[in-house]
Amino acid sequence: MNVILSFLTTLLLVFSPTAAADAATTATAAVAELSVKGKAPKTGYERQKFSEGWGVAANGCDLRNVILKRDLQSVKYRVSDSCIVEQGQLIDPYTATTIIFKRGISTSSKVQIDHVVAVSDAWQKGAQAWSFEKRNRFYNDPLNLLAVSGSANAQKGDSDAASWLPSNKAFRCEYVARQVSVKRKYQVWITVAEKTAMLRVLKSCPSQPLINR
């Protein structure tokens, strides 16, 4: 009887929704959980449908400065405002180059905050049906934000993993894992080409964990 109960308990754990949701701890496993569909038209897309600007974190600072603080080294703040990052050094994950950040009209754009899963990409893969509140959470979620080279960010545009990957090959596994983590969290679907590209990258790092922050 004890053997039978143990067997039934195991089955319940394996097939319960909670167990299934917690099963994927690697990016490779999580890719299998993502829905695969064609890309919807971009009709009706406006960035303002996600957010009217950067949200504000619990400490009262806007998300751009929160991410700069998280991702830059040797950070210095504005004397009159401890939220404003004035200077810092970025080891750019996309290009593996070092960028000196200095706030200013002609210099701030050298470091930009990238939505790892592009906003318009999400719009074409499920976000059209979301509420504004969910779109706003997606837009301002630190999981989906990285401080990166401005030129690399411009080059990426609204591409998914099938059409753009960082030139820094050493970062590609983590980059794809972050995309998978975001798409899994917000139920953003992927295309066949995107799934193929993701799995191709993750083949070299099958134990790459999901990203949680």
Side-chain angles (χ1 to χ4, degrees), residues 107-208:
T107 56
S108 288
S109 61
K110 290 183 179 180
V111 173
Q112 297 178 8
I113 308 302
D114 179 38
H115 285 88
V116 179
V117 173
V119 180
S120 60
D121 181 54
W123 178 261
Q124 293 178 275
K125 296 172 183 174
Q128 294 185 36
W130 297 353
S131 65
F132 175 79
E133 287 72 23
K134 183 175 180 178
R135 291 187 202 130
N136 192 257
R137 288 197 305 272
F138 167 86
Y139 188 95
N140 289 291
D141 191 338
L143 177 64
N144 194 31
L145 301 174
L146 280 180
V148 300
S149 156
S151 58
N153 188 33
Q155 182 187 60
K156 175 195 170 187
D158 60 2
S159 300
D160 60 24
S163 50
W164 188 89
L165 290 168
S167 61
N168 178 17
K169 293 182 179 180
F171 186 69
R172 287 181 178 179
C173 284
E174 185 175 333
Y175 174 76
V176 168
R178 189 173 288 271
Q179 284 210 337
V180 172
S181 300
V182 172
K183 293 202 168 192
R184 181 175 182 251
K185 180 176 181 178
Y186 289 94
Q187 300 88 48
V188 179
W189 71 69
I190 56 176
T191 64
V192 172
E194 189 178 0
K195 182 175 184 177
T196 299
M198 286 176 164
L199 292 176
R200 185 186 304 119
V201 170
L202 295 171
K203 186 177 181 180
S204 67
C205 48
S207 299
Q208 175 70 44

Side-chain angles (χ1 to χ4, degrees), residues 3-144:
V3 173
I4 294 173
L5 286 173
S6 177
F7 177 70
L8 290 174
T9 300
T10 301
L11 285 179
L12 286 171
L13 286 172
V14 170
F15 292 106
S16 71
T18 301
D22 292 340
T25 57
T26 67
T28 300
V31 170
E33 296 181 351
L34 301 177
S35 297
V36 179
K37 302 180 185 180
K39 186 182 291 188
K42 200 173 177 178
T43 308
Y45 168 71
E46 294 177 0
R47 205 172 184 87
Q48 291 79 3
K49 290 183 178 180
F50 286 78
S51 182
E52 295 180 354
W54 292 116
V56 177
N59 64 359
C61 300
D62 70 86
L63 263 294
R64 173 177 165 76
N65 280 286
V66 168
I67 301 303
L68 288 175
K69 177 185 178 181
R70 185 194 69 184
D71 294 350
L72 270 59
Q73 301 174 3
S74 304
V75 170
K76 293 183 180 180
Y77 297 95
R78 181 173 294 176
V79 175
S80 60
D81 191 337
S82 60
C83 278
I84 305 297
V85 175
E86 284 285 357
Q87 297 180 39
Q89 178 177 286
L90 174 71
I91 309 300
D92 177 38
Y94 287 177
T95 63
T97 59
T98 299
I99 302 172
I100 303 301
F101 172 78
K102 186 174 182 180
R103 184 175 296 276
I105 295 174
S106 61
T107 56
S108 288
S109 61
K110 290 183 179 180
V111 173
Q112 297 178 8
I113 308 302
D114 179 38
H115 285 88
V116 179
V117 173
V119 180
S120 60
D121 181 54
W123 178 261
Q124 293 178 275
K125 296 172 183 174
Q128 294 185 36
W130 297 353
S131 65
F132 175 79
E133 287 72 23
K134 183 175 180 178
R135 291 187 202 130
N136 192 257
R137 288 197 305 272
F138 167 86
Y139 188 95
N140 289 291
D141 191 338
L143 177 64
N144 194 31

